[in-house]
mmCIF file of all heavy atoms in Angstrom:
data_model
loop_
_atom_site.group_PDB
_atom_site.id
_atom_site.type_symbol
_atom_site.label_atom_id
_atom_site.label_comp_id
_atom_site.label_asym_id
_atom_site.label_seq_id
_atom_site.Cartn_x
_atom_site.Cartn_y
_atom_site.Cartn_z
ATOM 1 N N LEU N 109 0.821 -1.214 0.000
ATOM 2 C CA LEU N 109 0.000 0.000 0.000
ATOM 3 C C LEU N 109 0.857 1.266 0.000
ATOM 4 O O LEU N 109 0.490 2.284 -0.583
ATOM 5 C CB LEU N 109 -0.908 0.035 1.235
ATOM 6 C CG LEU N 109 -2.165 -0.817 1.237
ATOM 7 C CD1 LEU N 109 -2.880 -0.656 2.577
ATOM 8 C CD2 LEU N 109 -3.099 -0.440 0.103
ATOM 9 N N PHE N 110 1.995 1.188 0.678
ATOM 10 C CA PHE N 110 2.801 2.394 0.897
ATOM 11 C C PHE N 110 4.185 2.278 0.270
ATOM 12 O O PHE N 110 5.163 2.831 0.772
ATOM 13 C CB PHE N 110 2.907 2.668 2.402
ATOM 14 C CG PHE N 110 1.580 2.808 3.080
ATOM 15 C CD1 PHE N 110 1.101 1.810 3.915
ATOM 16 C CD2 PHE N 110 0.781 3.919 2.855
ATOM 17 C CE1 PHE N 110 -0.139 1.928 4.537
ATOM 18 C CE2 PHE N 110 -0.463 4.052 3.458
ATOM 19 C CZ PHE N 110 -0.926 3.056 4.300
ATOM 20 N N ALA N 111 4.244 1.581 -0.852
ATOM 21 C CA ALA N 111 5.524 1.416 -1.548
ATOM 22 C C ALA N 111 6.122 2.760 -1.940
ATOM 23 O O ALA N 111 7.344 2.950 -1.884
ATOM 24 C CB ALA N 111 5.336 0.533 -2.780
ATOM 25 N N ASP N 112 5.278 3.714 -2.315
ATOM 26 C CA ASP N 112 5.772 5.027 -2.735
ATOM 27 C C ASP N 112 6.426 5.791 -1.588
ATOM 28 O O ASP N 112 7.207 6.713 -1.832
ATOM 29 C CB ASP N 112 4.637 5.870 -3.313
ATOM 30 C CG ASP N 112 4.149 5.357 -4.666
ATOM 31 O OD1 ASP N 112 4.880 4.551 -5.276
ATOM 32 O OD2 ASP N 112 3.050 5.749 -5.090
ATOM 33 N N ALA N 113 6.107 5.412 -0.362
ATOM 34 C CA ALA N 113 6.700 6.067 0.805
ATOM 35 C C ALA N 113 7.906 5.296 1.335
ATOM 36 O O ALA N 113 8.417 5.584 2.412
ATOM 37 C CB ALA N 113 5.661 6.217 1.916
ATOM 38 N N GLY N 114 8.374 4.299 0.556
ATOM 39 C CA GLY N 114 9.525 3.523 0.974
ATOM 40 C C GLY N 114 9.250 2.673 2.194
ATOM 41 O O GLY N 114 10.104 2.528 3.078
ATOM 42 N N CYS N 115 8.057 2.084 2.242
ATOM 43 C CA CYS N 115 7.610 1.354 3.420
ATOM 44 C C CYS N 115 8.235 -0.041 3.492
ATOM 45 O O CYS N 115 8.337 -0.747 2.498
ATOM 46 C CB CYS N 115 6.088 1.236 3.406
ATOM 47 S SG CYS N 115 5.395 0.347 4.806
ATOM 48 N N VAL N 116 8.635 -0.412 4.695
ATOM 49 C CA VAL N 116 8.991 -1.796 5.009
ATOM 50 C C VAL N 116 8.216 -2.174 6.263
ATOM 51 O O VAL N 116 7.758 -1.309 7.015
ATOM 52 C CB VAL N 116 10.506 -1.985 5.243
ATOM 53 C CG1 VAL N 116 11.289 -1.690 3.985
ATOM 54 C CG2 VAL N 116 10.992 -1.114 6.396
ATOM 55 N N GLY N 117 8.041 -3.476 6.482
ATOM 56 C CA GLY N 117 7.255 -3.909 7.625
ATOM 57 C C GLY N 117 7.796 -5.182 8.231
ATOM 58 O O GLY N 117 8.569 -5.911 7.588
ATOM 59 N N GLU N 118 7.385 -5.435 9.452
ATOM 60 C CA GLU N 118 7.776 -6.659 10.129
ATOM 61 C C GLU N 118 6.744 -7.017 11.191
ATOM 62 O O GLU N 118 6.022 -6.149 11.698
ATOM 63 C CB GLU N 118 9.153 -6.518 10.777
ATOM 64 C CG GLU N 118 9.216 -5.459 11.878
ATOM 65 C CD GLU N 118 10.608 -5.314 12.474
ATOM 66 O OE1 GLU N 118 11.540 -5.967 11.959
ATOM 67 O OE2 GLU N 118 10.746 -4.557 13.447
ATOM 68 N N LEU N 119 6.677 -8.286 11.507
ATOM 69 C CA LEU N 119 5.825 -8.742 12.588
ATOM 70 C C LEU N 119 6.480 -8.392 13.915
ATOM 71 O O LEU N 119 7.677 -8.653 14.114
ATOM 72 C CB LEU N 119 5.618 -10.260 12.502
ATOM 73 C CG LEU N 119 4.772 -10.886 13.617
ATOM 74 C CD1 LEU N 119 3.310 -10.474 13.494
ATOM 75 C CD2 LEU N 119 4.914 -12.400 13.593
ATOM 76 N N ARG N 120 5.720 -7.809 14.826
ATOM 77 C CA ARG N 120 6.271 -7.518 16.143
ATOM 78 C C ARG N 120 6.394 -8.816 16.939
ATOM 79 O O ARG N 120 5.464 -9.623 16.972
ATOM 80 C CB ARG N 120 5.385 -6.529 16.911
ATOM 81 C CG ARG N 120 5.976 -6.134 18.268
ATOM 82 C CD ARG N 120 5.134 -5.113 18.993
ATOM 83 N NE ARG N 120 4.989 -3.878 18.229
ATOM 84 C CZ ARG N 120 4.385 -2.779 18.711
ATOM 85 N NH1 ARG N 120 3.861 -2.793 19.932
ATOM 86 N NH2 ARG N 120 4.287 -1.703 17.954
ATOM 87 N N THR N 121 7.544 -9.001 17.546
ATOM 88 C CA THR N 121 7.776 -10.182 18.369
ATOM 89 C C THR N 121 8.060 -9.774 19.803
ATOM 90 O O THR N 121 8.379 -8.612 20.094
ATOM 91 C CB THR N 121 8.952 -11.019 17.833
ATOM 92 O OG1 THR N 121 10.126 -10.188 17.769
ATOM 93 C CG2 THR N 121 8.643 -11.563 16.445
ATOM 94 N N ILE N 122 7.939 -10.735 20.704
ATOM 95 C CA ILE N 122 8.281 -10.509 22.099
ATOM 96 C C ILE N 122 9.785 -10.264 22.185
ATOM 97 O O ILE N 122 10.568 -10.969 21.543
ATOM 98 C CB ILE N 122 7.884 -11.724 22.948
ATOM 99 C CG1 ILE N 122 6.368 -11.940 22.881
ATOM 100 C CG2 ILE N 122 8.333 -11.548 24.399
ATOM 101 C CD1 ILE N 122 5.907 -13.237 23.510
ATOM 102 N N PRO N 123 10.223 -9.255 22.948
ATOM 103 C CA PRO N 123 11.663 -8.986 23.057
ATOM 104 C C PRO N 123 12.458 -10.240 23.419
ATOM 105 O O PRO N 123 12.052 -11.026 24.270
ATOM 106 C CB PRO N 123 11.740 -7.932 24.166
ATOM 107 C CG PRO N 123 10.418 -7.220 24.083
ATOM 108 C CD PRO N 123 9.424 -8.284 23.717
ATOM 109 N N ASN N 124 13.582 -10.406 22.732
ATOM 110 C CA ASN N 124 14.484 -11.541 22.953
ATOM 111 C C ASN N 124 13.809 -12.884 22.677
ATOM 112 O O ASN N 124 14.114 -13.895 23.312
ATOM 113 C CB ASN N 124 15.025 -11.528 24.391
ATOM 114 C CG ASN N 124 15.751 -10.236 24.722
ATOM 115 O OD1 ASN N 124 16.552 -9.747 23.929
ATOM 116 N ND2 ASN N 124 15.460 -9.676 25.887
ATOM 117 N N SER N 125 12.866 -12.855 21.733
ATOM 118 C CA SER N 125 12.144 -14.072 21.384
ATOM 119 C C SER N 125 11.684 -13.972 19.946
ATOM 120 O O SER N 125 11.564 -12.878 19.390
ATOM 121 C CB SER N 125 10.933 -14.257 22.301
ATOM 122 O OG SER N 125 10.084 -15.289 21.836
ATOM 123 N N SER N 126 11.432 -15.129 19.334
ATOM 124 C CA SER N 126 10.867 -15.141 17.984
ATOM 125 C C SER N 126 9.351 -15.281 18.012
ATOM 126 O O SER N 126 8.707 -15.301 16.962
ATOM 127 C CB SER N 126 11.473 -16.291 17.173
ATOM 128 O OG SER N 126 11.198 -17.541 17.801
ATOM 129 N N LYS N 127 8.775 -15.348 19.212
ATOM 130 C CA LYS N 127 7.331 -15.517 19.343
ATOM 131 C C LYS N 127 6.612 -14.204 19.065
ATOM 132 O O LYS N 127 7.056 -13.139 19.495
ATOM 133 C CB LYS N 127 6.980 -16.012 20.743
ATOM 134 C CG LYS N 127 7.514 -17.398 21.070
ATOM 135 C CD LYS N 127 7.095 -17.833 22.470
ATOM 136 C CE LYS N 127 7.599 -19.228 22.787
ATOM 137 N NZ LYS N 127 7.218 -19.656 24.160
ATOM 138 N N PRO N 128 5.486 -14.243 18.339
ATOM 139 C CA PRO N 128 4.745 -13.014 18.055
ATOM 140 C C PRO N 128 4.257 -12.331 19.326
ATOM 141 O O PRO N 128 3.848 -13.001 20.285
ATOM 142 C CB PRO N 128 3.558 -13.497 17.212
ATOM 143 C CG PRO N 128 3.982 -14.817 16.664
ATOM 144 C CD PRO N 128 4.874 -15.430 17.708
ATOM 145 N N TYR N 129 4.337 -11.003 19.316
ATOM 146 C CA TYR N 129 3.708 -10.217 20.382
ATOM 147 C C TYR N 129 2.195 -10.317 20.202
ATOM 148 O O TYR N 129 1.682 -10.174 19.089
ATOM 149 C CB TYR N 129 4.156 -8.760 20.292
ATOM 150 C CG TYR N 129 3.436 -7.826 21.234
ATOM 151 C CD1 TYR N 129 3.913 -7.594 22.512
ATOM 152 C CD2 TYR N 129 2.254 -7.185 20.836
ATOM 153 C CE1 TYR N 129 3.245 -6.741 23.384
ATOM 154 C CE2 TYR N 129 1.586 -6.338 21.700
ATOM 155 C CZ TYR N 129 2.078 -6.116 22.974
ATOM 156 O OH TYR N 129 1.410 -5.283 23.826
ATOM 157 N N VAL N 130 1.473 -10.546 21.289
ATOM 158 C CA VAL N 130 0.020 -10.683 21.238
ATOM 159 C C VAL N 130 -0.606 -9.542 22.035
ATOM 160 O O VAL N 130 -0.257 -9.310 23.196
ATOM 161 C CB VAL N 130 -0.445 -12.044 21.803
ATOM 162 C CG1 VAL N 130 -1.960 -12.154 21.748
ATOM 163 C CG2 VAL N 130 0.199 -13.189 21.017
ATOM 164 N N THR N 131 -1.529 -8.821 21.416
ATOM 165 C CA THR N 131 -2.182 -7.696 22.078
ATOM 166 C C THR N 131 -3.173 -8.180 23.132
ATOM 167 O O THR N 131 -3.484 -9.374 23.230
ATOM 168 C CB THR N 131 -2.937 -6.823 21.060
ATOM 169 O OG1 THR N 131 -4.095 -7.547 20.590
ATOM 170 C CG2 THR N 131 -2.056 -6.463 19.879
ATOM 171 N N ASP N 132 -3.698 -7.240 23.905
ATOM 172 C CA ASP N 132 -4.734 -7.558 24.892
ATOM 173 C C ASP N 132 -5.957 -8.184 24.236
ATOM 174 O O ASP N 132 -6.757 -8.851 24.906
ATOM 175 C CB ASP N 132 -5.165 -6.287 25.646
ATOM 176 C CG ASP N 132 -4.113 -5.792 26.617
ATOM 177 O OD1 ASP N 132 -3.193 -6.571 26.945
ATOM 178 O OD2 ASP N 132 -4.200 -4.628 27.050
ATOM 179 N N ASN N 133 -6.109 -7.960 22.942
ATOM 180 C CA ASN N 133 -7.272 -8.458 22.209
ATOM 181 C C ASN N 133 -6.996 -9.776 21.487
ATOM 182 O O ASN N 133 -7.846 -10.259 20.726
ATOM 183 C CB ASN N 133 -7.726 -7.402 21.192
ATOM 184 C CG ASN N 133 -7.732 -6.017 21.783
ATOM 185 O OD1 ASN N 133 -8.433 -5.764 22.751
ATOM 186 N ND2 ASN N 133 -6.931 -5.120 21.228
ATOM 187 N N GLY N 134 -5.810 -10.351 21.704
ATOM 188 C CA GLY N 134 -5.471 -11.625 21.083
ATOM 189 C C GLY N 134 -4.999 -11.516 19.651
ATOM 190 O O GLY N 134 -4.970 -12.520 18.922
ATOM 191 N N ASN N 135 -4.609 -10.324 19.219
ATOM 192 C CA ASN N 135 -4.175 -10.106 17.846
ATOM 193 C C ASN N 135 -2.671 -9.908 17.751
ATOM 194 O O ASN N 135 -1.973 -9.793 18.771
ATOM 195 C CB ASN N 135 -4.894 -8.887 17.257
ATOM 196 C CG ASN N 135 -6.392 -9.094 17.152
ATOM 197 O OD1 ASN N 135 -6.850 -10.151 16.720
ATOM 198 N ND2 ASN N 135 -7.166 -8.099 17.555
ATOM 199 N N TYR N 136 -2.158 -9.841 16.515
ATOM 200 C CA TYR N 136 -0.754 -9.545 16.257
ATOM 201 C C TYR N 136 -0.609 -8.080 15.835
ATOM 202 O O TYR N 136 -1.599 -7.402 15.528
ATOM 203 C CB TYR N 136 -0.208 -10.436 15.139
ATOM 204 C CG TYR N 136 -0.064 -11.894 15.488
ATOM 205 C CD1 TYR N 136 0.305 -12.815 14.501
ATOM 206 C CD2 TYR N 136 -0.294 -12.381 16.781
ATOM 207 C CE1 TYR N 136 0.457 -14.165 14.782
ATOM 208 C CE2 TYR N 136 -0.151 -13.728 17.077
ATOM 209 C CZ TYR N 136 0.213 -14.619 16.076
ATOM 210 O OH TYR N 136 0.347 -15.947 16.350
ATOM 211 N N ILE N 137 0.632 -7.604 15.799
ATOM 212 C CA ILE N 137 0.913 -6.255 15.331
ATOM 213 C C ILE N 137 1.965 -6.307 14.228
ATOM 214 O O ILE N 137 3.014 -6.943 14.375
ATOM 215 C CB ILE N 137 1.404 -5.340 16.478
ATOM 216 C CG1 ILE N 137 0.235 -5.002 17.412
ATOM 217 C CG2 ILE N 137 2.024 -4.052 15.916
ATOM 218 C CD1 ILE N 137 0.596 -4.089 18.553
ATOM 219 N N ILE N 138 1.648 -5.648 13.113
ATOM 220 C CA ILE N 138 2.602 -5.411 12.032
ATOM 221 C C ILE N 138 3.140 -4.001 12.218
ATOM 222 O O ILE N 138 2.366 -3.038 12.295
ATOM 223 C CB ILE N 138 1.945 -5.530 10.650
ATOM 224 C CG1 ILE N 138 1.332 -6.924 10.450
ATOM 225 C CG2 ILE N 138 2.955 -5.201 9.554
ATOM 226 C CD1 ILE N 138 2.310 -8.066 10.482
ATOM 227 N N ASP N 139 4.455 -3.863 12.318
ATOM 228 C CA ASP N 139 5.078 -2.548 12.437
ATOM 229 C C ASP N 139 5.561 -2.081 11.073
ATOM 230 O O ASP N 139 6.343 -2.781 10.412
ATOM 231 C CB ASP N 139 6.251 -2.594 13.421
ATOM 232 C CG ASP N 139 5.795 -2.664 14.869
ATOM 233 O OD1 ASP N 139 4.854 -1.933 15.217
ATOM 234 O OD2 ASP N 139 6.383 -3.443 15.648
ATOM 235 N N LEU N 140 5.072 -0.914 10.651
ATOM 236 C CA LEU N 140 5.455 -0.326 9.373
ATOM 237 C C LEU N 140 6.442 0.820 9.599
ATOM 238 O O LEU N 140 6.297 1.596 10.552
ATOM 239 C CB LEU N 140 4.225 0.205 8.633
ATOM 240 C CG LEU N 140 3.118 -0.810 8.326
ATOM 241 C CD1 LEU N 140 1.972 -0.128 7.589
ATOM 242 C CD2 LEU N 140 3.657 -1.991 7.516
ATOM 243 N N TYR N 141 7.411 0.926 8.704
ATOM 244 C CA TYR N 141 8.427 1.980 8.768
ATOM 245 C C TYR N 141 8.439 2.711 7.430
ATOM 246 O O TYR N 141 8.370 2.077 6.366
ATOM 247 C CB TYR N 141 9.810 1.381 9.039
ATOM 248 C CG TYR N 141 9.905 0.605 10.330
ATOM 249 C CD1 TYR N 141 9.462 -0.724 10.387
ATOM 250 C CD2 TYR N 141 10.430 1.178 11.481
ATOM 251 C CE1 TYR N 141 9.549 -1.455 11.564
ATOM 252 C CE2 TYR N 141 10.515 0.457 12.664
ATOM 253 C CZ TYR N 141 10.072 -0.860 12.694
ATOM 254 O OH TYR N 141 10.153 -1.576 13.870
ATOM 255 N N PHE N 142 8.555 4.044 7.489
ATOM 256 C CA PHE N 142 8.445 4.853 6.278
ATOM 257 C C PHE N 142 9.700 5.683 6.072
ATOM 258 O O PHE N 142 10.191 6.340 6.998
ATOM 259 C CB PHE N 142 7.233 5.791 6.377
ATOM 260 C CG PHE N 142 5.926 5.066 6.569
ATOM 261 C CD1 PHE N 142 5.448 4.794 7.848
ATOM 262 C CD2 PHE N 142 5.190 4.642 5.478
ATOM 263 C CE1 PHE N 142 4.252 4.117 8.029
ATOM 264 C CE2 PHE N 142 3.997 3.969 5.652
ATOM 265 C CZ PHE N 142 3.528 3.699 6.933
ATOM 266 N N GLU N 143 10.193 5.673 4.830
ATOM 267 C CA GLU N 143 11.315 6.536 4.471
ATOM 268 C C GLU N 143 10.843 7.938 4.122
ATOM 269 O O GLU N 143 11.588 8.904 4.277
ATOM 270 C CB GLU N 143 12.074 5.957 3.274
ATOM 271 C CG GLU N 143 12.829 4.677 3.579
ATOM 272 C CD GLU N 143 13.627 4.201 2.380
ATOM 273 O OE1 GLU N 143 13.542 4.855 1.307
ATOM 274 O OE2 GLU N 143 14.317 3.178 2.503
ATOM 275 N N ARG N 144 9.590 8.035 3.641
ATOM 276 C CA ARG N 144 9.061 9.319 3.190
ATOM 277 C C ARG N 144 7.626 9.498 3.696
ATOM 278 O O ARG N 144 6.984 8.541 4.151
ATOM 279 C CB ARG N 144 9.085 9.394 1.653
ATOM 280 C CG ARG N 144 10.493 9.337 1.064
ATOM 281 C CD ARG N 144 10.471 9.320 -0.450
ATOM 282 N NE ARG N 144 9.935 8.075 -0.992
ATOM 283 C CZ ARG N 144 10.647 6.958 -1.121
ATOM 284 N NH1 ARG N 144 11.911 6.913 -0.753
ATOM 285 N NH2 ARG N 144 10.099 5.859 -1.635
ATOM 286 N N ASP N 145 7.138 10.719 3.579
ATOM 287 C CA ASP N 145 5.771 11.061 3.974
ATOM 288 C C ASP N 145 4.782 10.216 3.163
ATOM 289 O O ASP N 145 4.882 10.138 1.933
ATOM 290 C CB ASP N 145 5.550 12.550 3.708
ATOM 291 C CG ASP N 145 4.238 13.071 4.289
ATOM 292 O OD1 ASP N 145 3.362 12.260 4.639
ATOM 293 O OD2 ASP N 145 4.107 14.303 4.384
ATOM 294 N N MET N 146 3.822 9.601 3.848
ATOM 295 C CA MET N 146 2.833 8.772 3.154
ATOM 296 C C MET N 146 1.733 9.600 2.500
ATOM 297 O O MET N 146 0.898 9.070 1.762
ATOM 298 C CB MET N 146 2.224 7.755 4.114
ATOM 299 C CG MET N 146 1.266 8.331 5.132
ATOM 300 S SD MET N 146 0.609 7.085 6.270
ATOM 301 C CE MET N 146 2.003 6.828 7.357
ATOM 302 N N GLY N 147 1.688 10.905 2.776
ATOM 303 C CA GLY N 147 0.701 11.767 2.132
ATOM 304 C C GLY N 147 -0.584 11.894 2.916
ATOM 305 O O GLY N 147 -0.552 11.991 4.149
ATOM 306 N N ASP N 148 -1.697 11.896 2.221
ATOM 307 C CA ASP N 148 -3.018 12.107 2.830
ATOM 308 C C ASP N 148 -3.305 11.008 3.857
ATOM 309 O O ASP N 148 -3.441 9.832 3.509
ATOM 310 C CB ASP N 148 -4.082 12.107 1.737
ATOM 311 C CG ASP N 148 -5.451 12.525 2.252
ATOM 312 O OD1 ASP N 148 -5.949 11.898 3.213
ATOM 313 O OD2 ASP N 148 -6.031 13.462 1.681
ATOM 314 N N LEU N 149 -3.428 11.406 5.117
ATOM 315 C CA LEU N 149 -3.601 10.416 6.184
ATOM 316 C C LEU N 149 -4.973 9.764 6.155
ATOM 317 O O LEU N 149 -5.110 8.583 6.481
ATOM 318 C CB LEU N 149 -3.357 11.074 7.545
ATOM 319 C CG LEU N 149 -1.956 11.621 7.787
ATOM 320 C CD1 LEU N 149 -1.863 12.199 9.196
ATOM 321 C CD2 LEU N 149 -0.889 10.560 7.578
ATOM 322 N N ASP N 150 -5.991 10.516 5.787
ATOM 323 C CA ASP N 150 -7.330 9.935 5.702
ATOM 324 C C ASP N 150 -7.373 8.843 4.633
ATOM 325 O O ASP N 150 -7.974 7.781 4.837
ATOM 326 C CB ASP N 150 -8.369 11.010 5.400
ATOM 327 C CG ASP N 150 -8.631 11.921 6.592
ATOM 328 O OD1 ASP N 150 -8.549 11.428 7.737
ATOM 329 O OD2 ASP N 150 -8.911 13.109 6.386
ATOM 330 N N LYS N 151 -6.739 9.101 3.500
ATOM 331 C CA LYS N 151 -6.700 8.089 2.445
ATOM 332 C C LYS N 151 -5.880 6.881 2.890
ATOM 333 O O LYS N 151 -6.242 5.727 2.601
ATOM 334 C CB LYS N 151 -6.111 8.689 1.163
ATOM 335 C CG LYS N 151 -7.020 9.706 0.477
ATOM 336 C CD LYS N 151 -6.396 10.214 -0.808
ATOM 337 C CE LYS N 151 -7.320 11.213 -1.509
ATOM 338 N NZ LYS N 151 -6.714 11.742 -2.766
ATOM 339 N N ALA N 152 -4.778 7.131 3.593
ATOM 340 C CA ALA N 152 -3.956 6.034 4.097
ATOM 341 C C ALA N 152 -4.749 5.181 5.079
ATOM 342 O O ALA N 152 -4.705 3.947 5.038
ATOM 343 C CB ALA N 152 -2.699 6.581 4.764
ATOM 344 N N SER N 153 -5.496 5.842 5.950
ATOM 345 C CA SER N 153 -6.325 5.133 6.934
ATOM 346 C C SER N 153 -7.378 4.282 6.238
ATOM 347 O O SER N 153 -7.561 3.095 6.555
ATOM 348 C CB SER N 153 -6.999 6.142 7.867
ATOM 349 O OG SER N 153 -7.919 5.508 8.724
ATOM 350 N N ASP N 154 -8.070 4.872 5.276
ATOM 351 C CA ASP N 154 -9.113 4.134 4.556
ATOM 352 C C ASP N 154 -8.537 2.919 3.829
ATOM 353 O O ASP N 154 -9.149 1.849 3.808
ATOM 354 C CB ASP N 154 -9.811 5.055 3.553
ATOM 355 C CG ASP N 154 -10.663 6.126 4.223
ATOM 356 O OD1 ASP N 154 -10.969 5.962 5.422
ATOM 357 O OD2 ASP N 154 -11.013 7.113 3.552
#
């Protein structure tokens, strides 16, 4: 979605472990990193 912003992503893991971090809601988290401004935030959110 954010290739134009130089986006890379990774699964969040528990520190010092390869196990996925699990939220209070039982879900996982993908962490996105951006080299450039992603632009319109409302469009990015949608």
Side-chain angles (χ1 to χ4, degrees):
L109 282 178
F110 303 107
D112 290 344
C115 180
V116 296
E118 63 182 5
L119 178 70
R120 183 177 300 186
T121 57
I122 298 171
N124 302 315
S125 169
S126 60
K127 295 181 179 179
Y129 173 90
V130 180
T131 71
D132 288 344
N133 316 300
N135 296 316
Y136 291 174
I137 288 181
I138 301 298
D139 285 317
L140 302 180
Y141 300 82
F142 301 90
E143 291 183 358
R144 297 176 291 279
D145 189 344
M146 73 182 76
D148 189 304
L149 297 182
D150 288 327
K151 290 182 179 179
S153 173
D154 291 343

